[in-house]
Amino acid sequence: MEYLNPGPIDTSLLTMQNEHISNDVWNGIECSFWPRYCFWQSLPSEPVLQVIRTTAFGNLLTLGPAEINNHLLLALIERWRPETHTFHFTCGEATITLEDVAYQLGIPIEGEVITGVTSMDWEDICMQLLGAVLAGNELMGQRVKLTWLERTFRDLPDNVDDDVIEQHARAFILRMIGGFLMPDTSATTTDQKEIGGCLLLLQSWAYDRIQNLAPRLRDPTIPYFPLVKRWSQYLITTNIPGHAVNIIRAMFDHMRVDQFRWMPYSQLPYLPNISEKCRSRVPLICFAIVEWHPTDRN
């Protein structure tokens, strides 16, 4: 009998198998992760909201907190391959694309490039953009602590000018980015204990493509946009008891091609038109970070 192992037959592409979480799963070692999910508990005052609504992050203000299904996320992470930037299922590969970002989160995917030189005086930059000087370890390299932002910009003083209102708006946008959109950690290696990234995006992406995993909406005809908003409504749960990881793994193991929705948004006519750039096969560049956008593997 041929020896079985969790890794690929040909390791020339998937070169990171020895450190991949699937090794532990194969050896019967159950992994657990803590989701790094920091949804804001309250919104800033109305003058600050008015400024944020005019930015690319305005649609995020309409989102509400939603329950995170840790079991689903763990089962998905076990299928993620950083070498190809795709989830590997028995029915094929799939990944989150710019199209998903545009429809699920309502964030524009084109506009001015946000990148540039990072070797600058960050204390001076913070003073210019936030109107405050950070002390001690509140500023680490090029990162501002989210706790400092929340504490410093919790309340908008009375009778302030537009500059101060904009400073509070920038601070809340930074919290959106650092706490919700891009919490900084990865979870595909065996020694990682936190799940980062935009977890609501990943979860909603999975619900739209593997519908027997998704909670049922009480009224699916309501045109929610961004699409992530659907899962903060009153939901009817699925029939999967406890959403146990082993049950979801088994579903992934036996998933047929016709059970995965490859074009879920074509059935939602109320969605806005977005740029064809969402299907481009290009590198995505964010300062020193470069990630491939593998739409050809989706």
Side-chain angles (χ1 to χ4, degrees), residues 89 91 93-95 99-100 104 204-212 214 227 230-231 255-269 271 298:
F89 299 109
C91 60
E93 294 178 51
T95 193
E99 180 182 47
D100 299 304
Q104 296 287 350
S204 190
W205 175 90
Y207 284 165
D208 273 321
R209 283 161 174 73
I210 312 170
Q211 289 195 302
N212 55 355
L227 293 178
R230 295 169 295 173
W231 314 117
M255 188 164 55
R256 303 188 309 269
V257 172
D258 62 327
Q259 293 176 317
F260 191 92
R261 298 176 69 205
W262 300 95
M263 300 177 64
Y265 308 128
S266 62
Q267 302 175 29
L268 301 174
L271 293 177
N298 202 12

Side-chain angles (χ1 to χ4, degrees), residues 15-91:
T15 59
M16 301 172 63
Q17 181 58 36
N18 289 339
E19 296 81 31
H20 198 268
I21 189 177
S22 58
N23 270 341
D24 280 354
V25 176
W26 179 262
N27 292 322
I29 303 172
E30 287 295 332
C31 301
S32 60
F33 297 95
W34 296 276
R36 201 169 186 180
Y37 171 59
C38 184
F39 197 83
W40 44 91
Q41 298 300 312
S42 61
L43 292 172
S45 59
E46 183 58 31
V48 178
L49 292 177
Q50 290 178 11
V51 174
I52 299 175
R53 291 188 188 109
T54 65
T55 72
F57 302 94
N59 280 328
L60 297 182
L61 295 173
T62 67
L63 305 183
E67 181 181 354
I68 295 294
N69 186 336
N70 291 354
H71 304 296
L72 170 60
L73 297 184
L74 178 56
L76 284 169
I77 286 166
E78 294 168 358
R79 296 278 178 171
W80 175 258
R81 300 301 309 212
E83 302 96 332
T84 59
H85 292 88
T86 56
F87 296 98
H88 286 213
F89 299 109
T90 53
C91 60

